[in-house]
Amino acid sequence: MDNVFISTREIQLLYADTDMMGVIYHANYLKYFELGRSGLIEDLGYSYVDMEHAGYFAPVYDIQATYKKPLRYGDRGFVKTWIEKNDGLKTVYGYSIINGDEEVCAEGTSTHIVVKKDNFRPIAFKKAFPEWFMKYEEIKKK
């Protein structure tokens, strides 16, 4: 993924996040995706809180995850995040969760739409936040 902006965040792997098999419980990976998405937005100088204050939300429309290798308590974990697609209505974030040895443990995507806070009706991202949309266009995967 040359020339693609990738945000990286370290994941704090807690004992409470493990399952009976001693591995990080699968649903926690969705939290890690959110950590990555928030981190990418922050790295670009934008704020989801500012989006909400402007009267909008960006809910999840679709989410996909593929598990490849377990993370365990005591491991180091990182989430790498990038813009996979950005078509003006939907934004697809790509994720790769890796361990301290840089082995891919999980991969996935989340698709988000922008909706008005008061009625939850979709609005074009490029209309609501044209500068933010254009930044995503610059950095998205080609």
Side-chain angles (χ1 to χ4, degrees):
M1 291 192 307
D2 295 337
N3 299 325
V4 175
F5 180 85
I6 298 175
S7 174
T8 303
R9 290 289 187 278
E10 185 160 9
I11 301 165
Q12 185 178 9
L13 302 174
L14 303 173
Y15 184 79
D17 293 335
T18 62
D19 62 18
M20 288 182 64
M21 296 176 285
V23 300
I24 300 299
Y25 179 65
H26 70 276
N28 287 306
Y29 287 82
L30 302 183
K31 291 190 320 184
Y32 306 152
F33 288 0
E34 180 62 20
L35 171 68
R37 184 175 79 94
S38 298
L40 179 134
I41 291 168
E42 181 182 286
D43 286 351
L44 296 174
Y46 298 100
S47 165
Y48 187 77
V49 171
D50 290 346
M51 177 185 277
E52 287 188 355
H53 287 156
Y56 300 93
F57 292 127
V60 174
Y61 177 82
D62 184 58
I63 197 154
Q64 304 289 321
T66 302
Y67 305 97
K68 299 182 174 277
K69 183 178 179 67
L71 276 172
R72 299 178 187 281
Y73 178 71
D75 288 346
R76 290 190 72 199
F78 302 87
V79 57
K80 294 181 176 286
T81 310
W82 61 92
I83 302 300
E84 188 74 27
K85 294 179 186 171
N86 185 47
D87 68 10
L89 287 177
K90 297 176 188 166
T91 300
V92 180
Y93 296 83
Y95 308 97
S96 183
I97 301 205
I98 62 171
N99 63 21
D101 294 326
E102 297 192 23
E103 299 169 309
V104 175
C105 298
E107 296 176 316
T109 60
S110 66
T111 303
H112 298 258
I113 59 173
V114 175
V115 299
K116 291 184 177 184
K117 204 174 182 180
D118 60 352
N119 61 16
F120 233 70
R121 289 201 172 137
I123 185 167
F125 181 37
K126 62 184 173 184
K127 180 179 178 185
F129 299 96
E131 182 183 307
W132 195 339
F133 170 80
M134 288 308 297
K135 187 62 174 177
Y136 278 13
E137 284 293 290
E138 289 174 26
I139 67 162
K140 72 180 180 182
K141 187 175 174 183
K142 305 285 191 254

